[in-house]
Amino acid sequence: MRIGIGYDSHRFVEGRPLILGGVSIPYGKGLLGHSDGDCLCHAIIDSLLGATGMPNIGQLFPDTEQEWKGSKSTELLKRVVEEITQRGYRILWIDSVIIAEEPRLNPFIPAMKQSLKDTGIPPDIINIKPKTNEGMGFTGRKEGIAVIAICLLRENF
Ligand code: MG
């Protein structure tokens, strides 16, 4: 068995859609990033890479490369799930926390799980838990969103 942890945060900016778990959430601001800024996908990716001992997301998909500019993070996550599957790992469980003062994300969790199904992560092996930061820190000041994800993998080799 392997465990991995991933963390990511992105800053809110005007004029971008808010994408989390591949789902577009009405808010009026979005997350700044070389890709679509989907920090839930990014944290999950880093947890999977951490568990397998692979390089982190910034090394795999550098933000200096045009190839990844504007890319859908669900596509990046799908690539990583395929890659670790090829290496003989199976995902047993993913748990995650989205730290956001706004907007309220609970209504969108089922849609996020449904969307992540296309990356190779079935809804029954992932938990996504939104929470506020009680007004403290950068998330509390509504400057951005942070995500922590953890995964458990089984080695089939
Ligand atoms: Mg990121």
Side-chain angles (χ1 to χ4, degrees), residues 17-26 31 35-45 71-78 98 105 108-119 121 126 128 147:
L18 174 57
I19 311 285
L20 285 170
V23 175
S24 185
I25 293 158
L31 296 171
S35 65
D36 56 12
D38 189 335
C39 48
L40 175 59
C41 284
H42 297 176
I44 294 171
I45 287 172
S71 52
K72 282 179 74 175
S73 299
T74 46
E75 285 301 316
L76 305 183
L77 177 55
K78 188 177 179 184
I98 305 175
L105 296 172
F108 300 97
I109 301 302
M112 288 183 206
K113 288 187 172 189
Q114 218 37 46
S115 146
L116 291 176
K117 208 161 82 172
D118 296 335
T119 69
I121 301 170
I126 181 165
I128 305 167
V147 179

Side-chain angles (χ1 to χ4, degrees), residues 85-106:
T85 303
Q86 276 172 19
R87 291 179 181 221
Y89 295 97
R90 189 161 69 86
I91 303 170
L92 297 184
W93 189 253
I94 292 170
D95 193 12
S96 62
V97 182
I98 305 175
I99 304 155
E101 210 70 20
E102 283 181 355
R104 284 193 59 78
L105 296 172
N106 262 322

Side-chain angles (χ1 to χ4, degrees), residues 2-10 38-62 73 76-81 84 91 93-96 121 147-153:
R2 300 279 192 103
I3 59 166
I5 187 168
Y7 170 84
D8 195 34
S9 60
H10 282 254
D38 189 335
C39 48
L40 175 59
C41 284
H42 297 176
I44 294 171
I45 287 172
D46 257 353
S47 75
L48 297 171
L49 296 174
T52 53
M54 290 169 65
N56 71 20
I57 186 171
Q59 289 169 277
L60 275 192
F61 310 110
S73 299
L76 305 183
L77 177 55
K78 188 177 179 184
R79 277 171 181 251
V80 169
V81 171
I84 67 166
I91 303 170
W93 189 253
I94 292 170
D95 193 12
S96 62
I121 301 170
V147 179
I148 300 165
I150 190 163
C151 69
L152 182 66
L153 309 184

